[in-house]
Amino acid sequence: MLRFLTAGESHGRGLVVVVEGVPAGLALTAMAVNQDLGRRMQGHGRGARMKIEQDQIEWLAGVRAGETIGSPVAMLIPNRDWANWEEIMAPEGRPGESRRRALSRPRPGHADLVGALKYDRQDARDILERASARETAARVAAGALARCLLREFGVDVGSHVVSLGGITVWPPADGAFPDYDTLPRPLNAASDQSPVRTLDHRRDPEIIARIDQAKADGDTLGGECEVVVRGLPVGLGSHVHWDRKLDARLAGALMSIPAVKAVEIGLGFEAARRPGSLVHDPIVADAMPGSPAAPPAVRGGYRRQGNNAGGLEGGMTTGEALVLRCGMKPIATLMSPLATVDLRTGTAARAQSERSDVTAVPAMGVIAEALAALVLADAMLEKFGGDSLGELRRNYDAYVAALGERWRLMGQPPGSTP
Ligand code: EPS
């Protein structure tokens, strides 16, 4: 339904993204996209590159008079750093010239070595330029369109940092699984206030000190983020096939973020350690039977006590908050490099150090929001369909009305009209 492709190297001219399947009539502004691009660039622990870039899109196609027109939406994010790399990254530069800054000492944990072998490249720069997390800027731009679409249906997509460098700040210390309904809405209004995107800002100095120490040591740090999505209707995704299960689609999308090594939904791994009685969320009525379903009708009249399921049962949304967590390994570029082998000589060496970030965990949350939004917008289009936003809305409204009607008619003999 909704698909996208990106192109671009980290130090090339820029990044391009083409998003196909956005219904016509969706109001879009460059400002809305740029806002997310700006959020992705933030976070304590980013390197000097983020002082060079000022990520902003140029519309290339698919938007007219502030609205989508149903054709593919294409956006360009120019790389300001291109000015410093033009010769090295020139598509048709003289071979000797453009091979300056070659990378022959692959970094453990990076795509350098495997990519160089697989693609038969002598210079691992041909690999790292595309493997660079710079590409995620293009995904965030695509995700911003999905976010705008979801917002039309009252869906809030936010994220926050759960742990960084081994310091865990979430869930709060009392050990109870948090009530996601009571978190600030929009969630990002709270997390974006913090230089490390936490919800408990009292812990920020401790995290910042850990990042600064890692930088001084020439080391890098990983961490975990949580994406929280509220306002989704019950029934996105499906139980009927492995590739239609929404949890699988979301987990796959989040696992595609560079350096992400783990994804959890709701209670995640902890659910595997508990008996069923302490895992599954009891079902309760959201309203008196026979009465119109209490708002929001998007849940069909039912609620869960607790949300260990993280908003998904049987590969479908329950209507409760969607809670996804992803864990990122530390960045592979260490200023105190690890052992490697030189690709030119086969001899032992120290891995190449390139300018990089100490940590990108706060940015990872923004990227995870974008990918979650893209999967969810796709699932909305799959369930409700529509070439225009109006058609999508009519189909959505009819579904929600039918959920309300189903609740209202509960207990009535078939065919009766109470
Ligand atoms: C990255 C290395 C750094 C990061 C970059 C990802 O770039 P550079 O080598 O130019 O200093 O800043 O991230 C971005 C450019 C970005 O926009 O997120 C890497 O090797 O993955």
Side-chain angles (χ1 to χ4, degrees):
M1 305 292 151
L2 191 70
R3 53 198 177 131
F4 71 99
L5 274 180
T6 73
E9 278 78 42
S10 181
H11 304 99
R13 275 190 65 177
L15 300 161
V16 172
V17 58
V18 179
V19 189
E20 210 266 330
V22 185
L26 177 68
L28 288 178
T29 61
M31 202 200 294
V33 181
N34 293 340
Q35 197 178 352
D36 275 351
L37 291 178
R39 293 176 57 237
R40 194 199 67 92
M41 296 179 72
Q42 304 306 313
H44 193 78
R46 291 287 247 160
R49 176 74 185 273
M50 290 302 101
K51 293 188 175 67
I52 299 173
E53 302 300 339
Q54 287 174 11
D55 291 344
Q56 303 213 322
I57 57 144
E58 289 173 27
W59 296 119
L60 296 180
V63 179
R64 188 164 175 242
E67 275 190 3
T68 53
I69 55 173
S71 50
V73 177
M75 295 172 278
L76 170 71
I77 305 167
N79 286 330
R80 286 166 65 104
D81 209 14
W82 164 245
N84 305 317
W85 288 79
E86 223 169 305
E87 217 169 79
I88 296 162
M89 294 300 294
E92 299 189 22
R94 282 168 295 171
E97 280 293 293
S98 52
R99 287 295 169 195
R100 279 196 296 120
R101 301 206 59 174
L103 190 136
S104 67
R105 289 173 284 123
R107 294 158 291 179
H110 207 280
D112 300 345
L113 176 58
V114 182
L117 295 175
K118 175 176 164 65
Y119 288 86
D120 194 16
R121 303 279 82 198
Q122 298 302 318
D123 175 3
R125 176 162 300 286
D126 290 350
I127 305 304
L128 80 90
E129 283 289 336
R130 180 63 184 165
S132 164
R134 174 83 189 134
E135 184 267 345
T136 61
R139 297 200 224 175
V140 166
L145 309 190
R147 186 196 296 280
C148 288
L149 183 69
L150 293 169
R151 207 178 269 146
E152 292 285 332
F153 297 89
V155 177
D156 176 61
V157 185
S159 73
H160 64 111
V161 167
V162 165
S163 84
L164 206 160
I167 301 173
T168 301
V169 295
W170 187 266
D174 63 9
F177 200 64
D179 179 356
Y180 285 88
D181 285 345
T182 62
L183 293 184
R185 194 174 171 136
L187 190 63
N188 290 335
S191 50
D192 285 345
Q193 297 296 314
S194 154
V196 281
R197 304 201 67 251
T198 65
L199 289 180
D200 185 355
H201 302 177
R202 292 166 304 180
R203 305 289 301 277
D204 291 354
E206 200 185 332
I207 296 176
I208 289 167
R210 176 105 15 130
I211 296 170
D212 292 345
Q213 187 59 51
K215 184 175 183 180
D217 296 342
D219 216 334
T220 56
L221 299 174
E224 296 155 82
C225 289
E226 188 168 86
V227 176
V228 181
V229 186
R230 287 169 293 177
L232 291 168
V234 61
L236 298 183
S238 175
H239 64 292
V240 304
H241 267 300
W242 68 275
D243 56 352
R244 293 185 59 195
K245 285 178 174 270
L246 199 60
D247 32 17
R249 290 153 65 181
L250 286 162
L254 296 187
M255 284 293 276
S256 79
I257 300 170
V260 165
K261 292 287 121 191
V263 174
E264 290 186 308
I265 295 172
L267 210 47
F269 273 99
E270 176 59 20
R273 301 175 194 126
R274 295 187 186 181
S277 54
L278 296 181
V279 170
H280 302 298
D281 310 308
I283 299 168
V284 293
D286 206 3
M288 292 296 288
S291 72
V298 290
R299 284 193 290 251
Y302 302 89
R303 291 224 56 179
R304 302 295 188 285
Q305 277 178 339
N307 189 13
N308 287 339
L312 288 161
E313 283 176 348
M316 297 171 281
T317 50
T318 60
E320 301 290 345
L322 190 70
V323 182
L324 313 165
R325 227 164 294 115
C326 32
M328 183 188 209
K329 69 180 180 180
I331 284 169
T333 309
L334 272 62
M335 293 304 151
S336 303
L338 298 172
T340 191
V341 172
D342 195 311
L343 294 176
R344 293 167 306 188
T345 59
T347 53
R350 288 279 146 190
Q352 212 145 315
S353 297
E354 288 255 325
R355 178 187 64 188
S356 193
D357 308 317
V358 177
T359 187
V361 171
M364 188 254 287
V366 179
I367 301 158
E369 286 172 35
L371 285 159
L374 283 157
V375 171
L376 293 169
D378 181 48
M380 286 279 284
L381 288 161
E382 176 186 74
K383 170 115 182 79
F384 303 115
D387 295 308
S388 68
L389 184 62
E391 188 176 15
L392 183 66
R393 195 187 301 285
R394 285 192 295 280
N395 296 340
Y396 173 91
D397 288 346
Y399 175 66
V400 173
L403 286 175
E405 187 66 357
R406 180 190 159 112
W407 180 265
R408 200 173 68 83
L409 294 177
M410 194 167 356
Q412 305 291 331
S416 67
T417 49

